[in-house]
Amino acid sequence: MLKVVDAGGFLKEIKELYDTAFPREERYLDFEPAIKQIEASDSGGTRGELVAFGKDTGEKVIFVGFVMVLFCGNIVHLYYFAIHEKLRGQKYGEQALNLIRNRYKGRTIWLGVELPDENAENQQQRLRRKRFYYRNGFQDTDVSGEKNGCMLQMMSTDGTIDPDTLITLDGLINEMIAEGRRLQ
């Protein structure tokens, strides 16, 4: 059974998964500074959190995946979400999303996915991701846009995206990117 585990104990594994699961153009945040920034206090609360998922074998906990979450009002934005490549196709992603829903009960969950593009090298991967999120209760919204040369479509658990909240969230992301550059 999958469970939320202490991310601090799996930072090396999370970093490796971050580097391999996301194309370079989608890795907007430098990993180490981002971890420090994401849990930094922002107006009395945190910007987000890094959540790790593990499977307890009875002898040890095996790292399965992670999600980097950003908070914006009542919105929980799944900024990076990945399951270890060797464990994909075994329902861990579905279990992780259920854990996320329970952890943030009563809040709307957003995420961005690459738009399908027949000319993209990873077109099949893009289509699989969209089908995965559809199966797990996410709906397309009418919001899409470009981030670092990558066209993304926003999806949410209720099918809506508030434009003002999206602008605030995008500002938070840009601020974190700028802070990461200054920290280096």
Side-chain angles (χ1 to χ4, degrees):
M1 181 72 141
L2 197 67
K3 65 180 187 175
V4 172
V5 297
D6 177 28
F10 291 102
L11 287 179
K12 179 179 178 250
E13 292 87 347
I14 292 170
K15 168 72 167 113
E16 288 172 3
L17 183 54
Y18 175 79
D19 287 341
T20 59
F22 302 99
R24 182 177 260 326
E25 62 272 11
E26 286 185 38
R27 286 184 262 141
Y28 314 122
L29 299 177
D30 293 320
F31 186 79
E32 286 82 4
I35 299 309
K36 293 176 185 161
Q37 296 168 38
I38 199 162
E39 293 184 351
S41 180
D42 184 34
S43 302
T46 60
R47 291 177 173 171
E49 67 179 331
L50 182 65
V51 178
F53 304 104
K55 180 181 176 183
D56 193 341
T57 66
E59 296 175 21
K60 66 179 185 170
V61 175
I62 298 170
F63 173 72
V64 172
F66 79 97
V67 63
M68 185 181 289
V69 177
L70 298 177
F71 302 132
C72 191
N74 195 42
I75 302 303
V76 174
H77 179 64
L78 307 187
Y79 198 55
Y80 292 105
F81 173 58
I83 299 298
H84 194 284
E85 184 176 15
K86 292 179 180 177
L87 300 173
R88 293 180 193 151
Q90 299 178 41
K91 304 286 184 192
Y92 289 119
E94 182 179 318
Q95 291 175 49
L97 285 177
N98 286 330
L99 289 169
I100 291 166
R101 275 191 205 88
N102 288 332
R103 188 175 186 91
Y104 307 114
K105 194 174 281 278
R107 297 173 88 175
T108 300
I109 301 173
W110 289 1
L111 57 86
V113 294
E114 292 173 293
L115 282 169
D117 177 353
E118 291 180 9
N119 298 317
E121 290 179 22
N122 68 338
Q123 170 68 347
Q124 292 306 310
Q125 182 183 52
R126 292 176 183 210
L127 294 171
R128 278 193 310 273
R129 282 184 189 144
K130 291 242 350 172
R131 286 191 302 265
F132 168 77
Y133 288 118
Y134 288 143
R135 282 192 317 271
N136 285 281
F138 285 83
Q139 302 169 35
D140 287 334
T141 69
D142 59 358
V143 177
S144 61
E146 181 268 335
K147 189 78 169 172
N148 285 11
C150 186
M151 288 299 296
L152 300 172
Q153 175 169 15
M154 296 300 292
M155 298 180 80
S156 78
T157 51
D158 69 3
T160 63
I161 298 287
D162 172 61
D164 292 334
T165 304
L166 184 60
I167 290 168
T168 302
L169 181 62
D170 196 47
L172 171 65
I173 293 167
N174 289 335
E175 180 183 305
M176 289 177 64
I177 291 169
E179 285 177 17
R181 289 185 183 131
R182 284 195 302 265
L183 290 172
Q184 294 181 348

